Amino acid sequence: MTLMTFAAYEQPLKWIAFGLGLASTISIVQGWQFAAMCLSLPFCLIWIYCAWLRTERQLKYINILFAGLYVYGIARHLILAPAT
């Protein structure tokens, strides 16, 4: 079995990675660290396999979405954190 065996599944794998990344980010924002780790591992493995670091436009938009979710998480923490 070679790396090209699953080349036909590259696009579905990218959508699965997108779903895993979104779920992982939501887990981090909600404070579910174990769930975030469990979701992040297959996310990273798919990214490694698909080599998303080549010049793909959707990568920019996915990172913007993740950055927005992290901004939400930071704002949520600052608003909901008890004053000390």
Side-chain angles (χ1 to χ4, degrees):
M1 193 178 278
T2 66
L3 284 175
M4 293 305 292
T5 303
F6 298 107
Y9 302 106
E10 185 175 4
Q11 194 60 42
L13 284 171
K14 289 178 181 180
W15 282 109
I16 291 168
F18 176 76
L20 288 167
L22 188 60
S24 175
T25 303
I26 291 169
S27 296
I28 292 167
V29 168
Q30 294 299 326
W32 307 326
Q33 286 80 16
F34 185 73
M37 289 185 287
C38 290
L39 293 167
S40 294
L41 179 60
F43 171 84
C44 290
L45 294 175
I46 292 170
W47 269 62
I48 290 166
Y49 177 74
C50 292
W52 272 16
L53 293 179
R54 50 191 164 179
T55 58
E56 293 193 20
R57 290 183 322 171
Q58 66 262 46
L59 183 60
K60 176 175 63 174
Y61 300 112
I62 290 169
N63 281 319
I64 290 170
L65 175 66
F66 290 156
L69 288 168
Y70 282 120
V71 168
Y72 161 75
I74 292 167
R76 182 178 181 269
H77 174 76
L78 291 174
I79 292 169
L80 298 178
T84 55

